[in-house]
Amino acid sequence: MTANASDPPGTPPPSGGSGGHARPPAAAWISWVALALMTTSSVASLRPSPTMAVYGLAAVFLYVVPAIVFLLPTSLVSAELASGWSGGVYNWVALGISKPAGFLAVWCQFAMTIFYYPSLLGYVASTLAYVVDPGLANNGWWTAAVIVVAYWSGVWVSSRGTKGVAGLAGGGLVLGTLIPGALLVVLGIVFLGQGHPSAAPMSADHLLPAWAGLASLVLIVNNFLSYSGMEMNAVHVSSLRKPAKEFPRSMFLAMGLVLLVFVLPALAISWIVPAGELSLTAGVMQAFDAVFAAFGIQWLTPAIGVLLVLASLGGMLTWLAGPSKGLLLISRQEGYLPPFLQRLNGRGVQRNILVAQGAVTTVIALLYAFIPDVSSAYWIFSVITTQVYLIMYLLMFVAAVRLRRKHPDRPRGFRAPMLLGLCGVGFCASLAALLVGFVPPAQFGSGNPWMYVGIVAGGALGLGLLVPFLFYRSRKPSWRQPEGSES
């Protein structure tokens, strides 16, 4: 996710073998199946399962639609951009639109994590409660305390430049996602096979979500965040032997695998836990606890909780340094951030950015203590995270179209088919999801809708647009740091 040195318009295009991109050595080639598995590991998670389990069988529809209108366009479009221009999303948007727009794009990649961490660690807190005391799962003070302790512990680890974080995250995928997910699905099937009725109707007439106005479809917005991050995986397109054929094949396989990881555990939860009793943060553990109780192995619940927590913490550590590092590199080159935020510690880590981010994260975490319903707080932070990230995708789709028109002959390792149509679908879907996020979901209809809109608008528009605008307007030539500076 990090952005590197900008690639000015006059930079010669990459050269090399057929396809117009620099061919990696044979040892660097990967198979399209391997890329599909890498993509699945970076996208798939059990965390959003309780959110969609509320819809029962309709979760299939609510996962498939954003996969078609968002996951597929972002995958193919970002692959073309990555195979033609280095430098990540900043460079794509800066060359396609403008440098200020490029700064906005890379800022949104960073800023979304400010609300992502409270929502992720809110899930960690509720999961950890099943290891300590299940009664704490909906306790706001417990949730706030776990968020603060976990985040600052992550900052301490990251600031020391500790290696092996990626390995922790990779192991967390298997131990904390694939194994628990498969176990949940298998036991859910056995649970139904023993004659237990499904908590959610599984008949064909429940394939579509019940329509109760626009608010009934708001939860689909969360799935856009579930599928985000494809622009990071696109950098591997140059490592395929035949990108034009193998990348689409890899993406369709990844889509199928991701859908299985998302859909089956969500359905399993809906079989076991009634929608009215489902917590958006603790729903996974609710399902495990219920099914383990049915089989007389409830003692396994804390063990599963530990695995899920380790997977989430490993993922947090992986994300903690990445987006902030990308923002730091661009800001040092262009002077977008004041020198204080550009300083590095003795290990070359952007500790001041992490500390400033942590101060905001701590304030947000405390909201869990004052919002009576932890699920409501979790959902609000998830929506803000999604909306800030969607701003970046809107810019990326526009930049892709402009770059195709401005540089039609620039060699690319992969050319997205029907690029204009893909960008149109992706842009419209992203914009619709962003706007729908301002509508309070049906599940929280008892609260004050204007307060909901105010919190979401203030978080998404303030953090995603106002703050970067102020930084950009305040920039000074003296804020630029010479290349190689360690200050």
Side-chain angles (χ1 to χ4, degrees):
M1 183 177 286
T2 58
N4 302 312
S6 59
D7 184 12
T11 301
S15 60
S18 62
H21 67 296
R23 302 298 293 169
W29 284 337
I30 61 175
S31 70
W32 65 272
V33 175
L35 180 57
L37 294 176
M38 290 170 59
T39 303
T40 303
S41 68
S42 65
V43 174
S45 169
L46 294 181
R47 191 165 67 93
S49 297
T51 304
M52 289 298 108
V54 171
Y55 283 94
L57 190 59
V60 178
F61 171 85
L62 295 175
Y63 270 122
V64 170
V65 170
I68 294 173
V69 302
F70 181 74
L71 175 61
L72 189 59
T74 56
S75 302
L76 299 180
V77 170
S78 60
E80 172 167 329
L81 294 172
S83 67
W85 289 268
S86 63
V89 69
Y90 170 79
N91 204 39
W92 304 341
V93 176
L95 295 177
I97 304 177
S98 66
K99 282 191 173 182
F103 172 61
L104 176 60
V106 78
W107 169 267
C108 287
Q109 274 194 325
F110 162 75
M112 61 81 69
T113 64
I114 294 177
F115 287 94
Y116 171 74
Y117 296 134
S119 63
L120 170 66
L121 296 177
Y123 163 77
V124 167
S126 295
T127 302
L128 192 60
Y130 277 80
V131 180
V132 181
D133 176 9
L136 294 172
N138 289 306
N139 185 301
W141 287 104
W142 162 264
T143 303
V146 170
I147 292 173
V148 171
V149 171
Y151 178 84
W152 287 106
S153 298
V155 170
W156 180 80
V157 171
S158 296
S159 66
R160 294 178 62 82
T162 303
K163 297 181 179 179
V165 171
L168 175 61
L173 169 73
V174 176
L175 295 176
T177 299
L178 299 183
I179 292 177
L183 180 62
L184 183 62
V185 172
V186 169
L187 291 181
I189 293 173
V190 174
F191 179 81
L192 295 180
Q194 291 182 338
H196 297 281
S198 171
M202 290 290 123
S203 55
D205 56 338
H206 288 86
L207 273 171
L208 297 179
W211 180 253
L214 187 61
S216 64
L217 290 178
V218 170
L219 285 179
I220 196 173
V221 172
N222 197 53
N223 289 347
F224 281 73
L225 179 63
S226 300
Y227 290 133
S228 62
M230 295 305 299
E231 73 280 2
M232 294 183 291
N233 295 289
V235 300
H236 300 295
V237 67
S238 298
S239 296
L240 295 171
R241 289 179 181 269
K242 299 178 181 179
K245 293 182 179 180
E246 293 181 342
F247 189 80
R249 192 183 303 170
S250 175
M251 286 303 100
F252 279 111
L253 175 59
M255 278 181 59
L257 294 175
V258 168
L259 284 173
L260 287 177
V261 174
F262 278 145
V263 170
L264 294 183
L267 289 179
I269 293 174
S270 72
W271 298 336
I272 301 164
V273 184
E277 301 175 8
L278 194 62
S279 165
L280 299 188
T281 52
V284 174
M285 293 307 299
Q286 282 181 316
F288 274 114
D289 198 48
V291 76
F292 285 164
F295 286 94
I297 52 174
Q298 204 167 6
W299 54 270
L300 275 177
T301 300
I304 292 294
V306 170
L307 292 179
L308 294 176
V309 166
L310 290 177
S312 297
L313 293 179
M316 185 200 76
L317 289 175
T318 302
W319 276 79
L320 194 60
S324 58
K325 185 69 172 180
L327 178 65
L328 172 77
L329 292 175
I330 297 305
S331 297
R332 289 171 72 88
Q333 294 165 17
E334 303 293 342
Y336 290 137
L337 294 180
F340 172 77
L341 293 177
Q342 298 183 34
R343 290 176 187 164
L344 306 176
N345 67 5
R347 298 176 183 267
V349 177
Q350 60 282 9
R351 184 172 59 186
N352 286 9
I353 290 181
L354 295 178
V355 170
Q357 181 181 15
V360 179
T361 299
T362 300
V363 173
I364 295 172
L366 293 176
L367 292 177
Y368 274 98
F370 297 103
I371 297 179
D373 185 356
V374 171
S375 286
S376 296
Y378 172 84
W379 172 251
I380 288 172
F381 296 144
S382 295
V383 169
I384 293 174
T385 299
T386 304
Q387 290 181 307
V388 171
Y389 211 0
L390 285 172
I391 294 172
M392 184 275 293
Y393 282 112
L394 292 174
L395 295 170
M396 187 187 80
F397 287 126
V398 173
V401 173
R402 290 176 62 88
L403 285 172
R404 176 72 76 89
R405 291 176 176 174
K406 291 166 63 175
H407 305 286
D409 299 324
R410 182 181 176 99
R412 297 159 169 84
F414 173 79
R415 283 182 176 267
M418 301 182 294
L419 179 75
L420 183 60
L422 285 172
C423 290
V425 170
F427 184 92
C428 291
S430 299
L431 181 61
L434 191 152
L435 295 177
V436 168
F438 290 106
V439 180
Q443 284 76 6
F444 308 133
S446 59
N448 186 330
W450 292 111
M451 180 178 294
Y452 175 92
V453 172
I455 294 175
V456 171
L461 301 181
L463 184 64
L465 295 177
L466 179 60
V467 174
F469 173 77
L470 294 176
F471 274 128
Y472 187 80
R473 286 293 301 270
S474 303
R475 74 192 188 285
K476 300 176 181 178
S478 61
W479 288 3
R480 295 181 179 179
Q481 300 293 322
E483 189 173 352
S485 171
E486 298 298 328
S487 62

